Protein backbone atom coordinates (compact mmCIF):
# COMPACT_ATOMS: atom_id res chain seq x y z
CA UNK A 1 0.00 0.00 0.00
CA UNK A 2 1.12 3.51 -0.78
CA UNK A 3 1.43 5.93 2.11
CA UNK A 4 -1.64 8.17 1.82
CA UNK A 5 -2.00 11.83 2.68
CA UNK A 6 -4.80 11.10 5.13
CA UNK A 7 -2.49 8.75 7.04
CA UNK A 8 0.29 11.32 7.24
CA UNK A 9 0.66 13.83 10.04
CA UNK A 10 0.74 17.15 8.23
CA UNK A 11 -0.83 19.33 10.91
CA UNK A 12 0.79 22.77 10.86
CA UNK A 13 3.74 21.48 8.84
CA UNK A 14 5.44 22.97 5.81
CA UNK A 15 4.51 20.65 2.96
CA UNK A 16 6.15 20.45 -0.46
CA UNK A 17 3.63 19.20 -3.04
CA UNK A 18 4.34 18.09 -6.61
CA UNK A 19 1.32 18.74 -8.83
CA UNK A 20 0.76 18.28 -12.55
CA UNK A 21 0.15 21.85 -13.72
CA UNK A 22 1.19 20.99 -17.28
CA UNK A 23 -1.86 22.83 -18.62
CA UNK A 24 -2.54 23.66 -22.29
CA UNK A 25 -1.82 27.32 -23.04
CA UNK A 26 -2.74 29.09 -26.26
CA UNK A 27 -1.90 32.77 -26.86
CA UNK A 28 -1.05 33.29 -23.21
CA UNK A 29 -4.34 31.79 -21.94
CA UNK A 30 -4.94 28.53 -20.08
CA UNK A 31 -7.56 26.83 -22.26
CA UNK A 32 -8.32 23.89 -19.94
CA UNK A 33 -7.78 24.05 -16.18
CA UNK A 34 -8.84 20.45 -15.39
CA UNK A 35 -5.39 19.75 -13.95
CA UNK A 36 -5.56 22.74 -11.63
CA UNK A 37 -9.02 21.71 -10.46
CA UNK A 38 -7.72 18.17 -9.83
CA UNK A 39 -5.23 19.56 -7.31
CA UNK A 40 -7.86 21.27 -5.15
CA UNK A 41 -8.72 18.32 -2.89
CA UNK A 42 -5.13 18.04 -1.77
CA UNK A 43 -4.68 21.82 -1.41
CA UNK A 44 -7.89 22.18 0.61
CA UNK A 45 -6.89 19.31 2.89
CA UNK A 46 -3.52 20.96 3.55
CA UNK A 47 -5.20 24.32 4.15
CA UNK A 48 -7.58 22.67 6.59
CA UNK A 49 -4.54 21.35 8.43
CA UNK A 50 -2.97 24.81 8.64
CA UNK A 51 0.01 23.83 6.51
CA UNK A 52 2.36 26.13 4.67
CA UNK A 53 2.23 24.88 1.09
CA UNK A 54 5.15 24.89 -1.37
CA UNK A 55 4.02 23.81 -4.84
CA UNK A 56 6.24 22.29 -7.53
CA UNK A 57 5.24 21.46 -11.10
CA UNK A 58 6.63 21.29 -14.60
CA UNK A 59 5.04 22.88 -17.67
CA UNK A 60 5.75 22.01 -21.28
CA UNK A 61 8.98 20.79 -22.83
CA UNK A 62 12.07 22.83 -21.97
CA UNK A 63 14.92 21.94 -24.30
CA UNK A 64 16.43 25.39 -24.88
CA UNK A 65 16.48 28.83 -23.24
CA UNK A 66 13.71 30.19 -25.56
CA UNK A 67 11.31 27.46 -24.41
CA UNK A 68 11.14 29.22 -21.05
CA UNK A 69 9.33 32.19 -22.59
CA UNK A 70 5.96 30.48 -23.04
CA UNK A 71 6.14 28.02 -20.18
CA UNK A 72 6.17 30.04 -17.00
CA UNK A 73 3.93 28.82 -14.19
CA UNK A 74 3.08 32.41 -13.30
CA UNK A 75 -0.13 32.05 -15.32
CA UNK A 76 -1.08 29.06 -13.19
CA UNK A 77 -0.42 31.09 -10.03
CA UNK A 78 -2.88 33.71 -11.27
CA UNK A 79 -5.48 31.06 -12.11
CA UNK A 80 -5.09 29.35 -8.73
CA UNK A 81 -5.39 32.71 -6.98
CA UNK A 82 -8.80 33.27 -8.60
CA UNK A 83 -10.02 29.76 -7.77
CA UNK A 84 -8.87 29.75 -4.14
CA UNK A 85 -9.56 33.45 -3.58
CA UNK A 86 -6.30 33.86 -1.74
CA UNK A 87 -2.82 35.19 -2.50
CA UNK A 88 -0.51 32.73 -4.24
CA UNK A 89 3.12 33.74 -3.85
CA UNK A 90 5.32 32.99 -6.83
CA UNK A 91 9.05 32.42 -7.03
CA UNK A 92 10.53 33.22 -10.44
CA UNK A 93 13.61 31.21 -9.55
CA UNK A 94 12.89 27.53 -8.74
CA UNK A 95 16.08 27.32 -6.67
CA UNK A 96 16.28 30.84 -5.31
CA UNK A 97 18.74 30.71 -2.35
CA UNK A 98 16.39 33.12 -0.51
CA UNK A 99 13.51 30.63 -0.66
CA UNK A 100 14.09 28.90 2.70
CA UNK A 101 14.01 32.30 4.43
CA UNK A 102 10.95 33.40 2.43
CA UNK A 103 9.06 30.22 3.34
CA UNK A 104 10.08 30.49 6.99
CA UNK A 105 8.28 33.83 7.35
CA UNK A 106 5.14 32.57 5.56
CA UNK A 107 2.07 32.03 7.75
CA UNK A 108 0.07 28.81 8.09
CA UNK A 109 -2.22 28.40 5.02
CA UNK A 110 0.08 30.55 2.86
CA UNK A 111 0.86 29.07 -0.55
CA UNK A 112 3.92 29.59 -2.73
CA UNK A 113 4.28 28.21 -6.25
CA UNK A 114 7.81 27.81 -7.59
CA UNK A 115 8.71 28.37 -11.23
CA UNK A 116 8.63 25.40 -13.67
CA UNK A 117 10.93 22.65 -12.37
CA UNK A 118 12.02 21.91 -15.93
CA UNK A 119 13.65 25.35 -16.13
CA UNK A 120 16.30 23.62 -14.01
CA UNK A 121 17.15 21.57 -17.11
CA UNK A 122 18.87 24.58 -18.69
CA UNK A 123 21.79 24.16 -18.95
CA UNK A 124 22.53 21.06 -16.87
CA UNK A 125 19.37 18.91 -16.86
CA UNK A 126 19.15 19.10 -13.08
CA UNK A 127 15.44 18.14 -13.07
CA UNK A 128 15.41 15.43 -15.74
CA UNK A 129 18.64 13.79 -14.56
CA UNK A 130 17.34 13.71 -10.99
CA UNK A 131 20.23 15.82 -9.73
CA UNK A 132 20.73 15.05 -6.09
CA UNK A 133 21.73 18.62 -5.10
CA UNK A 134 18.61 20.04 -6.74
CA UNK A 135 16.44 17.39 -5.06
CA UNK A 136 17.98 18.11 -1.68
CA UNK A 137 17.44 21.85 -2.12
CA UNK A 138 13.74 21.35 -2.99
CA UNK A 139 13.39 19.00 -0.02
CA UNK A 140 14.96 21.61 2.27
CA UNK A 141 11.92 23.81 1.67
CA UNK A 142 9.55 21.65 3.72
CA UNK A 143 9.09 18.86 6.25
CA UNK A 144 6.91 16.50 4.21
CA UNK A 145 6.59 15.73 0.50
CA UNK A 146 3.27 14.95 -1.19
CA UNK A 147 3.41 13.40 -4.67
CA UNK A 148 0.20 14.38 -6.44
CA UNK A 149 1.28 14.58 -10.09
CA UNK A 150 0.09 11.28 -11.52
CA UNK A 151 1.15 12.20 -15.06
CA UNK A 152 4.76 12.59 -13.85
CA UNK A 153 4.88 9.38 -11.81
CA UNK A 154 6.73 7.55 -14.58
CA UNK A 155 9.58 10.07 -14.54
CA UNK A 156 12.56 9.79 -12.21
CA UNK A 157 13.15 13.52 -11.86
CA UNK A 158 14.54 15.67 -9.05
CA UNK A 159 11.04 16.94 -8.16
CA UNK A 160 9.46 13.47 -8.24
CA UNK A 161 11.81 10.67 -7.21
CA UNK A 162 14.82 12.73 -6.03
CA UNK A 163 12.96 14.63 -3.34
CA UNK A 164 11.53 11.44 -1.77
CA UNK A 165 15.07 10.49 -0.79
CA UNK A 166 15.25 13.48 1.56
CA UNK A 167 11.73 13.84 2.99
CA UNK A 168 9.05 11.60 4.48
CA UNK A 169 6.64 11.23 1.55
CA UNK A 170 3.08 10.27 0.73
CA UNK A 171 0.74 10.33 -2.27
CA UNK A 172 -1.92 13.04 -2.67
CA UNK A 173 -5.62 12.56 -3.37
CA UNK A 174 -5.37 12.81 -7.13
CA UNK A 175 -2.69 10.09 -7.39
CA UNK A 176 -4.70 7.98 -4.95
CA UNK A 177 -7.80 8.32 -7.14
CA UNK A 178 -5.90 7.36 -10.30
CA UNK A 179 -4.30 4.31 -8.67
CA UNK A 180 -7.62 3.14 -7.23
CA UNK A 181 -9.37 3.36 -10.62
CA UNK A 182 -6.58 1.63 -12.52
CA UNK A 183 -6.05 -1.03 -9.84
CA UNK A 184 -9.72 -1.90 -10.04
CA UNK A 185 -9.39 -2.30 -13.78
CA UNK A 186 -6.24 -4.39 -13.55
CA UNK A 187 -6.99 -6.59 -10.56
CA UNK A 188 -10.65 -7.18 -10.58
CA UNK A 189 -12.60 -6.03 -13.62
CA UNK A 190 -16.22 -7.09 -13.82
CA UNK A 191 -16.29 -9.58 -16.69
CA UNK A 192 -16.49 -9.85 -19.63
CA UNK A 193 -13.69 -7.28 -19.84
CA UNK A 194 -13.19 -5.71 -23.27
CA UNK A 195 -10.26 -3.54 -24.34
CA UNK A 196 -10.62 -1.18 -27.30
CA UNK A 197 -7.37 0.10 -28.73
CA UNK A 198 -6.75 2.46 -31.60
CA UNK A 199 -4.21 5.15 -32.30
CA UNK A 200 -1.30 5.63 -34.59
CA UNK A 201 1.83 3.52 -34.29
CA UNK A 202 1.67 -0.13 -33.29
CA UNK A 203 5.22 -0.07 -31.89
CA UNK A 204 4.13 2.48 -29.23
CA UNK A 205 1.38 0.15 -28.08
CA UNK A 206 2.78 -3.37 -28.41
CA UNK A 207 3.57 -3.76 -24.72
CA UNK A 208 0.14 -2.46 -23.75
CA UNK A 209 -1.54 -4.83 -26.20
CA UNK A 210 0.37 -7.78 -24.74
CA UNK A 211 -0.39 -6.73 -21.16
CA UNK A 212 -4.10 -6.23 -21.91
CA UNK A 213 -4.41 -9.55 -23.73
CA UNK A 214 -3.47 -11.27 -20.47
CA UNK A 215 -6.41 -9.62 -18.72
CA UNK A 216 -9.26 -9.19 -21.18
CA UNK A 217 -11.82 -11.35 -22.94
CA UNK A 218 -11.95 -9.21 -26.10
CA UNK A 219 -9.51 -6.86 -27.79
CA UNK A 220 -11.11 -4.63 -30.43
CA UNK A 221 -8.52 -2.95 -32.66
CA UNK A 222 -8.76 0.15 -34.83
CA UNK A 223 -6.67 3.00 -36.22
CA UNK A 224 -3.05 2.63 -37.26
CA UNK A 225 -2.68 -0.33 -34.88
CA UNK A 226 -5.28 -2.31 -36.77
CA UNK A 227 -3.60 -1.44 -40.09
CA UNK A 228 -0.42 -3.19 -39.00
CA UNK A 229 -2.35 -6.25 -37.84
CA UNK A 230 -4.25 -6.35 -41.14
CA UNK A 231 -0.97 -6.08 -43.06
CA UNK A 232 0.43 -8.93 -40.94
CA UNK A 233 -2.53 -11.00 -42.20
CA UNK A 234 -1.63 -10.05 -45.79
CA UNK A 235 -4.53 -7.68 -46.39
CA UNK A 236 -3.72 -4.91 -48.82
CA UNK A 237 -3.87 -1.75 -46.70
CA UNK A 238 -2.78 0.50 -49.56
CA UNK A 239 -0.77 3.52 -48.40
CA UNK A 240 -2.06 3.42 -44.80
CA UNK A 241 0.10 4.09 -41.78
CA UNK A 242 1.57 0.76 -40.64
CA UNK A 243 4.80 -0.74 -39.43
CA UNK A 244 7.27 -2.06 -41.96
CA UNK A 245 9.54 -3.57 -39.35
CA UNK A 246 9.82 -7.28 -40.13
CA UNK A 247 10.27 -8.31 -36.48
CA UNK A 248 7.21 -6.32 -35.41
CA UNK A 249 5.15 -7.94 -38.17
CA UNK A 250 6.26 -11.38 -37.01
CA UNK A 251 5.32 -10.46 -33.46
CA UNK A 252 1.87 -9.33 -34.61
CA UNK A 253 1.39 -12.62 -36.46
CA UNK A 254 2.22 -14.52 -33.27
CA UNK A 255 -0.12 -12.37 -31.22
CA UNK A 256 -2.92 -13.04 -33.74
CA UNK A 257 -2.22 -16.75 -33.79
CA UNK A 258 -2.23 -17.05 -30.00
CA UNK A 259 -5.29 -14.88 -29.44
CA UNK A 260 -7.55 -15.81 -32.31
CA UNK A 261 -10.70 -15.73 -30.21
CA UNK A 262 -9.93 -12.46 -28.47
CA UNK A 263 -8.83 -10.12 -31.22
CA UNK A 264 -11.25 -8.37 -33.58
CA UNK A 265 -10.13 -6.32 -36.57
CA UNK A 266 -12.01 -3.77 -38.69
CA UNK A 267 -14.33 -5.05 -41.43
CA UNK A 268 -14.51 -1.77 -43.32
CA UNK A 269 -12.95 1.67 -43.49
CA UNK A 270 -13.25 5.26 -44.57
CA UNK A 271 -10.26 5.89 -46.80
CA UNK A 272 -8.48 8.86 -48.29
CA UNK A 273 -6.02 8.90 -51.12
CA UNK A 274 -2.27 9.43 -51.28
CA UNK A 275 -2.57 11.78 -54.26
CA UNK A 276 -5.91 13.56 -53.78
CA UNK A 277 -6.62 15.12 -50.41
CA UNK A 278 -10.29 15.69 -51.27
CA UNK A 279 -10.90 11.98 -51.93
CA UNK A 280 -12.85 10.06 -49.27
CA UNK A 281 -14.61 6.78 -49.81
CA UNK A 282 -16.24 3.91 -47.91
CA UNK A 283 -14.42 0.62 -48.50
CA UNK A 284 -14.71 -2.97 -47.32
CA UNK A 285 -11.42 -3.99 -45.74
CA UNK A 286 -10.57 -6.45 -48.53
CA UNK A 287 -11.17 -3.84 -51.24
CA UNK A 288 -8.51 -1.26 -50.41
CA UNK A 289 -6.39 -0.23 -53.39
CA UNK A 290 -2.72 0.73 -53.42
CA UNK A 291 -3.13 4.50 -53.27
CA UNK A 292 -5.83 4.49 -50.59
CA UNK A 293 -5.21 5.30 -46.92
CA UNK A 294 -7.32 3.95 -44.07
CA UNK A 295 -8.27 6.90 -41.86
CA UNK A 296 -11.32 5.64 -39.94
CA UNK A 297 -13.40 2.55 -39.23
CA UNK A 298 -16.64 2.03 -41.18
CA UNK A 299 -20.21 1.34 -40.12
CA UNK A 300 -19.97 -2.49 -40.18
CA UNK A 301 -17.00 -2.36 -37.80
CA UNK A 302 -18.89 0.02 -35.51
CA UNK A 303 -21.88 -2.37 -35.45
CA UNK A 304 -19.69 -5.38 -34.74
CA UNK A 305 -17.80 -3.60 -31.94
CA UNK A 306 -21.10 -2.32 -30.51
CA UNK A 307 -22.34 -5.88 -30.09
CA UNK A 308 -19.24 -6.86 -28.10
CA UNK A 309 -19.43 -3.68 -25.99
CA UNK A 310 -23.05 -4.44 -25.06
CA UNK A 311 -22.12 -8.00 -24.06
CA UNK A 312 -19.29 -6.72 -21.83
CA UNK A 313 -19.36 -5.38 -18.27
CA UNK A 314 -16.09 -3.44 -18.21
CA UNK A 315 -14.45 -1.62 -21.09
CA UNK A 316 -11.06 0.06 -21.27
CA UNK A 317 -10.46 2.45 -24.16
CA UNK A 318 -7.09 3.67 -25.39
CA UNK A 319 -6.36 5.49 -28.63
CA UNK A 320 -8.79 6.74 -31.25
CA UNK A 321 -10.63 4.75 -33.92
CA UNK A 322 -9.37 7.03 -36.67
CA UNK A 323 -7.83 10.38 -37.42
CA UNK A 324 -10.46 12.11 -35.30
CA UNK A 325 -8.76 15.50 -35.70
CA UNK A 326 -10.14 15.62 -39.29
CA UNK A 327 -13.96 15.79 -39.20
CA UNK A 328 -14.19 13.50 -42.27
CA UNK A 329 -12.54 10.72 -40.26
CA UNK A 330 -13.99 11.44 -36.83
CA UNK A 331 -17.20 9.40 -37.10
CA UNK A 332 -15.75 6.08 -35.86
CA UNK A 333 -14.28 7.64 -32.72
CA UNK A 334 -17.40 9.68 -32.02
CA UNK A 335 -19.77 6.72 -32.56
CA UNK A 336 -17.75 4.34 -30.38
CA UNK A 337 -17.60 6.98 -27.61
CA UNK A 338 -21.36 7.44 -27.91
CA UNK A 339 -22.00 3.69 -27.75
CA UNK A 340 -19.79 3.47 -24.65
CA UNK A 341 -21.71 6.34 -23.06
CA UNK A 342 -25.11 4.82 -23.82
CA UNK A 343 -24.04 1.31 -22.74
CA UNK A 344 -24.14 2.15 -19.02
CA UNK A 345 -21.16 -0.20 -18.52
CA UNK A 346 -18.04 0.44 -16.47
CA UNK A 347 -15.94 2.43 -18.92
CA UNK A 348 -12.42 3.66 -18.26
CA UNK A 349 -10.51 5.68 -20.85
CA UNK A 350 -6.82 6.52 -20.64
CA UNK A 351 -4.02 7.97 -22.76
CA UNK A 352 -3.18 11.50 -23.89
CA UNK A 353 -5.05 11.61 -27.20
CA UNK A 354 -7.79 9.30 -25.94
CA UNK A 355 -8.72 11.77 -23.20
CA UNK A 356 -8.38 14.68 -25.65
CA UNK A 357 -10.80 12.97 -28.04
CA UNK A 358 -13.28 12.34 -25.23
CA UNK A 359 -13.15 16.04 -24.35
CA UNK A 360 -13.19 17.08 -28.01
CA UNK A 361 -16.54 15.35 -28.54
CA UNK A 362 -17.95 16.53 -25.18
CA UNK A 363 -18.06 13.14 -23.41
CA UNK A 364 -16.14 14.38 -20.34
CA UNK A 365 -18.65 13.17 -17.77
CA UNK A 366 -19.95 10.17 -19.69
CA UNK A 367 -17.56 7.52 -18.39
CA UNK A 368 -16.78 5.83 -15.11
CA UNK A 369 -13.23 7.14 -15.12
CA UNK A 370 -11.01 9.25 -17.34
CA UNK A 371 -7.40 8.58 -16.49
CA UNK A 372 -5.50 11.79 -17.22
CA UNK A 373 -2.01 10.41 -16.73
CA UNK A 374 -1.09 10.03 -20.41
CA UNK A 375 2.15 8.01 -20.60
CA UNK A 376 2.03 7.29 -16.85
CA UNK A 377 -1.41 5.67 -17.19
CA UNK A 378 -0.16 3.38 -19.94
CA UNK A 379 3.02 2.49 -18.05
CA UNK A 380 1.02 1.63 -14.94
CA UNK A 381 -1.29 -0.61 -16.96
CA UNK A 382 1.70 -2.38 -18.52
CA UNK A 383 4.09 -2.75 -15.57
CA UNK A 384 1.77 -2.36 -12.57
CA UNK A 385 4.07 0.15 -10.87
CA UNK A 386 5.59 3.59 -11.44
CA UNK A 387 9.09 4.75 -10.58
CA UNK A 388 7.84 8.06 -9.13
CA UNK A 389 5.85 6.36 -6.38
CA UNK A 390 7.71 3.09 -5.95
CA UNK A 391 9.47 4.37 -2.85
CA UNK A 392 6.38 5.86 -1.22
CA UNK A 393 5.20 2.97 0.91
CA UNK A 394 3.01 2.77 3.99
CA UNK A 395 4.52 1.91 7.37
CA UNK A 396 7.96 1.64 5.96
CA UNK A 397 10.84 3.08 7.90
CA UNK A 398 11.96 5.64 5.37
CA UNK A 399 15.65 6.16 5.34
CA UNK A 400 15.84 9.91 4.94
CA UNK A 401 19.17 11.22 3.68
CA UNK A 402 20.84 14.11 5.46
CA UNK A 403 20.32 17.33 3.57
P1 LIG B 1 -3.11 7.97 -26.77
O1 LIG B 1 -2.30 9.26 -26.82
O2 LIG B 1 -4.40 8.14 -26.05
O3 LIG B 1 -2.31 6.80 -26.28
P2 LIG B 1 -2.71 7.57 -29.61
O4 LIG B 1 -1.73 8.69 -29.70
O5 LIG B 1 -2.18 6.19 -29.76
O6 LIG B 1 -3.57 7.65 -28.29
O7 LIG B 1 -3.88 7.72 -30.70
C1 LIG B 1 -4.37 8.90 -31.23
C2 LIG B 1 -3.75 9.27 -32.53
O8 LIG B 1 -3.86 8.22 -33.48
C3 LIG B 1 -4.47 10.45 -33.17
O9 LIG B 1 -3.56 11.51 -33.36
C4 LIG B 1 -5.01 9.92 -34.49
O10 LIG B 1 -4.92 10.86 -35.54
C5 LIG B 1 -4.08 8.75 -34.75
N1 LIG B 1 -4.74 7.76 -35.64
C6 LIG B 1 -5.86 7.06 -35.40
N2 LIG B 1 -6.19 6.28 -36.45
C7 LIG B 1 -5.25 6.49 -37.40
C8 LIG B 1 -5.05 5.99 -38.73
N3 LIG B 1 -5.89 5.12 -39.28
N4 LIG B 1 -3.97 6.45 -39.40
C9 LIG B 1 -3.13 7.34 -38.84
N5 LIG B 1 -3.25 7.84 -37.59
C10 LIG B 1 -4.31 7.43 -36.88
MG1 LIG C 1 -0.91 10.05 -28.23
Amino acid sequence: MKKRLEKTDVKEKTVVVRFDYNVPIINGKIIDNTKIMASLDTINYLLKNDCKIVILSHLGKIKKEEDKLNNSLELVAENLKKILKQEIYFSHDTMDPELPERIKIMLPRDIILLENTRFLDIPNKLESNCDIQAASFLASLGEIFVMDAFASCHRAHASTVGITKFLPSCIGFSVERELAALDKLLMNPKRPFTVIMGGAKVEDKLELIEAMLLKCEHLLLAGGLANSFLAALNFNIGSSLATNNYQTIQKLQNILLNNREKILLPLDAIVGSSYDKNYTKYKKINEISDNEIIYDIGIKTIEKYKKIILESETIFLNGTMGVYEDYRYSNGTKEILNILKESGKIVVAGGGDSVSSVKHFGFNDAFTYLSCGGGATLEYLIYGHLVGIDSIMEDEEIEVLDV
Side-chain angles (χ1 to χ4, degrees):
M1 278 290 278
K2 298 285 163 209
K3 175 105 178 168
R4 296 159 53 222
L5 179 53
E6 266 178 324
K7 295 269 176 161
T8 308
D9 179 17
V10 290
K11 191 87 196 146
E12 292 170 13
K13 298 229 161 100
T14 302
V15 179
V16 181
V17 198
R18 176 62 160 89
F19 284 130
D20 170 23
Y21 285 160
N22 187 22
V23 292
I25 295 173
I26 294 181
N27 297 330
K29 280 217 165 73
I30 297 171
I31 53 158
D32 178 1
N33 74 350
T34 310
K35 291 185 171 190
I36 300 174
M37 299 308 283
S39 71
L40 295 184
D41 282 352
T42 293
I43 293 181
N44 284 324
Y45 183 83
L46 296 174
L47 289 173
K48 207 172 72 194
N49 278 282
D50 296 320
C51 301
K52 292 185 194 177
I53 308 173
V54 181
I55 302 179
L56 307 173
S57 176
H58 79 279
L59 173 61
K61 291 194 169 68
I62 310 297
K63 303 282 178 218
K64 45 191 188 313
E65 190 64 35
E66 304 89 273
D67 294 335
K68 291 184 179 178
L69 282 174
N70 299 318
N71 287 302
S72 170
L73 280 171
E74 205 167 6
L75 267 184
V76 172
E78 284 162 26
N79 191 289
L80 199 55
K81 189 169 161 178
K82 282 189 200 131
I83 296 169
L84 290 172
K85 299 191 177 63
Q86 77 166 66
E87 187 59 57
I88 306 293
Y89 301 111
F90 186 72
S91 172
H92 289 275
D93 179 354
T94 323
M95 282 178 62
D96 183 353
E98 312 264 296
L99 266 171
E101 209 41 49
R102 217 176 143 188
I103 292 164
K104 207 163 156 191
I105 58 170
M106 277 174 25
L107 300 172
R109 301 172 60 82
D110 276 354
I111 300 175
I112 184 164
L113 172 63
L114 311 194
E115 183 56 284
N116 193 343
T117 52
R118 286 202 185 152
F119 283 14
L120 300 176
D121 278 350
I122 309 290
N124 290 326
K125 290 208 165 279
L126 299 184
E127 165 75 329
S128 299
N129 285 348
C130 198
D131 179 81
I132 217 68
Q133 298 299 331
S136 103
F137 174 82
L138 296 174
S140 74
L141 304 176
E143 299 157 274
I144 288 186
F145 174 62
V146 181
M147 180 55 180
D148 209 19
F150 186 72
S152 297
C153 281
H154 61 320
R155 306 261 186 235
H157 288 178
S159 71
T160 59
V161 171
I163 194 168
T164 65
K165 306 215 184 302
F166 297 94
L167 280 181
S169 306
C170 65
I171 55 168
F173 293 123
S174 146
V175 167
E176 193 182 331
R177 256 194 315 269
E178 286 277 353
L179 293 179
L182 298 179
D183 282 345
K184 210 165 153 191
L185 194 73
L186 284 176
M187 320 271 190
N188 196 16
K190 218 169 154 194
R191 296 185 179 276
F193 174 33
T194 291
V195 175
I196 309 176
M197 283 181 66
K201 291 202 201 122
V202 79
E203 275 93 352
D204 294 348
K205 296 292 170 73
L206 254 184
E207 283 182 297
L208 186 62
I209 290 172
E210 287 178 311
M212 290 293 108
L213 277 168
L214 296 175
K215 318 242 173 218
C216 69
E217 273 77 41
H218 305 286
L219 176 65
L220 316 183
L221 293 173
L225 302 191
N227 295 344
S228 296
F229 277 94
L230 289 165
L233 287 173
N234 278 330
F235 279 90
N236 181 12
I237 54 161
S239 308
S240 307
L241 175 75
T243 183
N244 47 24
N245 179 309
Y246 179 67
Q247 273 154 354
T248 307
I249 294 169
Q250 270 193 326
K251 209 164 193 180
L252 300 186
Q253 286 167 340
N254 277 333
I255 290 175
L256 285 163
L257 202 66
N258 296 329
N259 297 279
R260 245 176 291 195
E261 271 98 65
K262 284 191 182 178
I263 297 178
L264 268 78
L265 288 165
L267 299 170
D268 52 0
I270 310 298
V271 299
S273 155
S274 54
Y275 59 79
D276 177 2
K277 64 179 176 8
N278 295 320
Y279 174 99
T280 49
K281 217 171 184 170
Y282 171 87
K283 278 290 178 85
K284 284 193 189 139
I285 215 68
N286 56 359
E287 290 176 347
I288 313 276
S289 48
D290 290 348
N291 61 297
E292 287 176 330
I293 307 173
I294 301 172
Y295 282 132
D296 196 9
I297 53 174
I299 186 74
K300 286 206 168 65
T301 311
I302 296 170
E303 283 306 316
K304 185 166 146 193
Y305 287 6
K306 179 179 182 178
K307 197 162 164 279
I308 306 284
I309 289 168
L310 297 182
E311 285 167 7
S312 307
E313 291 298 332
T314 309
I315 298 109
F316 173 65
L317 172 74
N318 170 257
T320 59
M321 304 299 101
V323 181
Y324 77 100
E325 300 92 333
D326 182 333
Y327 76 96
R328 295 173 298 169
Y329 308 115
S330 63
N331 186 58
T333 304
K334 201 162 89 187
E335 279 301 313
I336 292 291
L337 290 175
N338 200 37
I339 292 162
L340 289 171
K341 178 189 166 201
E342 297 295 321
S343 72
K345 310 288 180 166
I346 301 163
V347 181
V348 179
D353 288 287
S354 317
V355 171
S356 301
S357 73
V358 169
K359 289 183 177 171
H360 177 81
F361 293 116
F363 289 101
N364 306 32
D365 302 319
F367 302 140
T368 318
Y369 196 73
L370 267 191
S371 178
C372 294
T377 301
L378 305 188
E379 275 201 25
Y380 192 68
L381 290 172
I382 297 167
Y383 305 115
H385 72 99
L386 291 165
V387 65
I389 45 175
D390 279 346
S391 62
I392 303 178
M393 296 306 288
E394 198 175 46
D395 297 322
E396 202 175 303
E397 275 302 310
I398 303 165
E399 200 191 320
V400 176
L401 296 180
D402 246 344
V403 180

